[in-house]
Amino acid sequence: MAYTFQWRPVLHSLPEMLWGALVTLEIAALAMAIGTVFAILLALAKRSGGKTLSALADIWIETARNTPALFQIYLIYFGLGSFGLRVDSYSALLLGITFNNAGYLAETFRGGFSAVPETQTRAARSLGLGQIRTMWHIVLPQMLRAVFHAMTNQMVWSILMTSLGVVVGLTSDLTGVTQQLNVVTYRTFEYFFVAACLYYLISKIFTISARLLASRLFRY
Amino acid sequence: MFFGASLSWNDILFMLSGAVTTIAITLASVAIGTSLGVLFGLARAGSPWWISWPIGGILDIFRSIPLLIQLVLFNSFNSMFRLHWPTYLVACLCLGIYAAAFCTEIVRSGVTAVPTTTRRAARSLGLTWFQEVVSITLPMATRIVFPSWIGLALGVMKDTALVLWIGIVELLRSSQIVTTRVQEPLLVLSIAGLIYFLMSFPIARLGAQLEKRWRIQ
């Protein structure tokens, strides 16, 4: 092999990459939080909304699930320009992942809602709780427990999807920072290898802490 | 040089040829992924923990790192080891191994879902291990995991969009090239999205239907 590894510049810029990892986590967590809210609304629209609402939810869900995530980010980054909206790469990535998360989670939540027995709703209603309070205090907690595992998987996907930001020119997340350093130094393998290790660590740490959290939250 | 060029039939044809590239890479990667996946899946399902765990651990790495980074790393091997492999081969291998990481778990869940008693019965009727796997376990497991395998194949199809980063002109990249000429990103991207949708949605529906039908029996 006629290749000499140069690890020193990578070690030197490790702090920069760690900051990038923080931005990655920030985007993934935001996209997950907003996506969850939209996913619940989408699932409810499909369950109990009218024909129009249900059809709109269908369009959202099927587009999110049947086209590449990168395509969705492109559509927001380049496509919204046609409406005179100038979206920077950070928002395009965040909106794209949020859209994708919401579509996938909506299907998960639909399954989760049907796992909560209908009798629970009726019992809560006959105890005098309103529709919204029934949803908030009775149905949602049980539904979220049923889909917790699927949600942690989606969060890992969310973290991995943030790497797509570099394709629309994002330079602040982990992949973006790595690509910037790569362009300057041409140490492609070394930088991306360290980035790969960081991504692996992030997803493992997240998975393990989610498992610990689940064992505390769902003791009963 | 003229401005305001509108979308022509040639642009559509160009995008369709991009779609053909997408399909070709998908087929090759799914083929690699499935054959490796069956191999590793059988190994994981039927071997002691000191073989099963390392395979699982190594394949888990491929599922925990963004595909984009894997593509860049694979592509850098090409120049590091002076392999001179065509980019298509790099893309198919990388996606294939990525698919294998998911397929292994699918195959494993299918094989462990076949009752041990059934497998033992086959063996005691005189079938060898290989005969039993080919004519008892795999057919039964296929029935169980076929819907998730379809999901995997569609996932790989969507992930092929990432190979544009290492310089392959597939559907998404071809739509981007058309956009630079036509200057109507929303229209061109919508057409690309429609092509993706038409490639994915019917197969996804078929998978969901098969899942429903096979669950009843």
Side-chain angles (χ1 to χ4, degrees):
Chain A
M1 189 170 75
Y3 188 86
T4 338
F5 290 103
Q6 299 276 350
W7 293 103
R8 199 179 299 262
V10 187
L11 281 179
H12 205 71
S13 39
L14 198 60
E16 235 177 297
M17 291 174 79
L18 286 172
W19 277 114
L22 268 185
V23 177
T24 285
L25 269 178
E26 174 194 296
I27 300 174
L30 271 176
M32 191 65 190
I34 310 170
T36 303
V37 174
F38 276 111
I40 291 174
L41 294 178
L42 284 174
L44 286 177
K46 270 199 87 162
R47 252 169 80 88
S48 43
K51 256 200 176 134
T52 339
L53 263 179
S54 172
L56 283 176
D58 258 334
I59 291 174
W60 183 323
I61 294 170
E62 297 303 342
T63 311
R65 291 170 60 92
N66 287 301
T67 58
L70 185 58
F71 163 81
Q72 292 154 26
I73 295 164
Y74 264 35
L75 200 61
I76 291 164
Y77 188 69
F78 296 112
L80 286 186
S82 304
F83 298 115
L85 283 168
R86 187 78 191 94
V87 190
D88 63 342
S89 48
Y90 182 93
S91 329
L93 178 67
L94 180 59
L95 285 174
I97 302 177
T98 305
F99 178 82
N100 191 279
N101 277 342
Y104 276 91
L105 284 174
E107 283 294 281
T108 313
F109 288 169
R110 214 156 58 99
F113 275 126
S114 42
V116 181
E118 190 66 27
T119 43
Q120 295 277 324
T121 315
R122 267 183 259 155
R125 291 306 299 276
S126 57
L127 283 171
L129 269 73
Q131 206 163 10
I132 292 166
R133 288 178 53 175
T134 304
M135 182 53 73
W136 185 251
H137 292 291
I138 308 295
V139 180
L140 273 186
Q142 297 188 59
M143 188 275 282
L144 287 176
R145 172 186 284 219
V147 298
F148 185 80
H149 181 69
M151 278 183 77
T152 56
N153 275 344
Q154 188 65 36
M155 178 61 190
V156 173
W157 278 114
S158 190
I159 293 170
L160 300 189
M161 265 192 281
T162 55
S163 66
L164 300 180
V166 74
V167 185
V168 289
L170 187 68
T171 51
S172 56
D173 79 315
L174 180 50
T175 312
V177 169
T178 312
Q179 172 64 8
Q180 286 294 97
L181 293 164
N182 170 41
V183 168
V184 177
T185 60
Y186 277 102
R187 289 284 150 199
T188 311
F189 178 81
E190 288 91 330
Y191 277 112
F192 277 92
F193 181 77
V194 172
C197 293
L198 287 177
Y199 272 112
Y200 182 74
L201 278 179
I202 294 171
S203 30
K204 279 299 118 184
I205 290 171
F206 176 77
T207 316
I208 291 168
S209 30
R211 209 170 289 163
L212 288 177
L213 187 69
S215 67
R216 275 195 69 83
L217 274 177
F218 308 140
R219 261 180 301 187
Y220 310 109
Chain B
M1 183 83 193
F2 67 99
F3 295 103
S6 61
L7 196 70
S8 71
W9 182 237
N10 273 337
D11 294 328
I12 304 279
L13 277 184
F14 182 63
M15 283 168 72
L16 284 177
S17 73
V20 171
T21 309
T22 291
I23 292 174
I25 294 176
T26 307
L27 289 179
S29 324
V30 169
I32 296 172
T34 307
S35 18
L36 285 178
V38 170
L39 209 69
F40 291 143
L42 283 173
R44 282 213 69 185
S47 55
W49 64 269
W50 48 270
I51 298 178
S52 172
W53 287 8
I55 296 178
I58 289 167
L59 290 178
D60 184 56
I61 295 174
F62 290 95
R63 277 178 283 141
S64 313
I65 295 171
L67 184 59
L68 196 67
I69 304 248
Q70 292 183 40
L71 277 168
V72 172
L73 283 177
F74 260 77
N75 206 31
S76 72
F77 286 148
N78 209 1
S79 46
M80 274 167 61
F81 299 107
R82 308 254 160 91
L83 293 173
H84 300 294
W85 286 354
T87 322
Y88 281 95
L89 184 63
V90 174
C92 290
L93 276 179
C94 185
L95 271 165
I97 293 173
Y98 182 72
F102 288 92
C103 196
T104 299
E105 291 311 303
I106 293 177
V107 172
R108 189 175 76 123
S109 73
V111 170
T112 43
V114 177
T116 324
T117 43
T118 311
R119 305 190 64 179
R120 285 208 191 117
R123 290 303 296 277
S124 55
L125 282 172
L127 270 70
T128 62
W129 178 86
F130 186 75
Q131 284 173 329
E132 183 270 315
V133 165
V134 169
S135 42
I136 308 289
T137 304
L138 283 185
M140 286 178 82
T142 307
R143 247 181 113 84
I144 300 164
V145 299
F146 190 64
S148 10
W149 182 82
I150 285 190
L152 170 70
L154 290 178
V156 171
M157 197 270 281
K158 283 173 268 171
D159 285 334
T160 55
L162 300 189
V163 302
L164 65 83
W165 187 248
I166 56 173
I168 295 176
V169 181
E170 41 64 71
L171 178 51
L172 195 57
R173 181 80 188 112
S174 68
S175 71
Q176 216 185 357
I177 293 169
V178 171
T179 305
T180 53
R181 193 182 80 79
V182 181
Q183 293 299 328
E184 276 190 76
L186 193 62
L187 175 69
V188 177
L189 277 175
S190 300
I191 294 169
L194 190 69
I195 298 175
Y196 272 120
F197 193 85
L198 290 179
M199 291 197 292
S200 162
F201 187 68
I203 301 174
R205 265 294 151 89
L206 180 77
Q209 229 155 36
L210 284 179
E211 195 179 3
K212 210 176 279 173
R213 203 165 69 195
W214 286 353
R215 195 186 289 149
I216 302 165
Q217 292 169 350

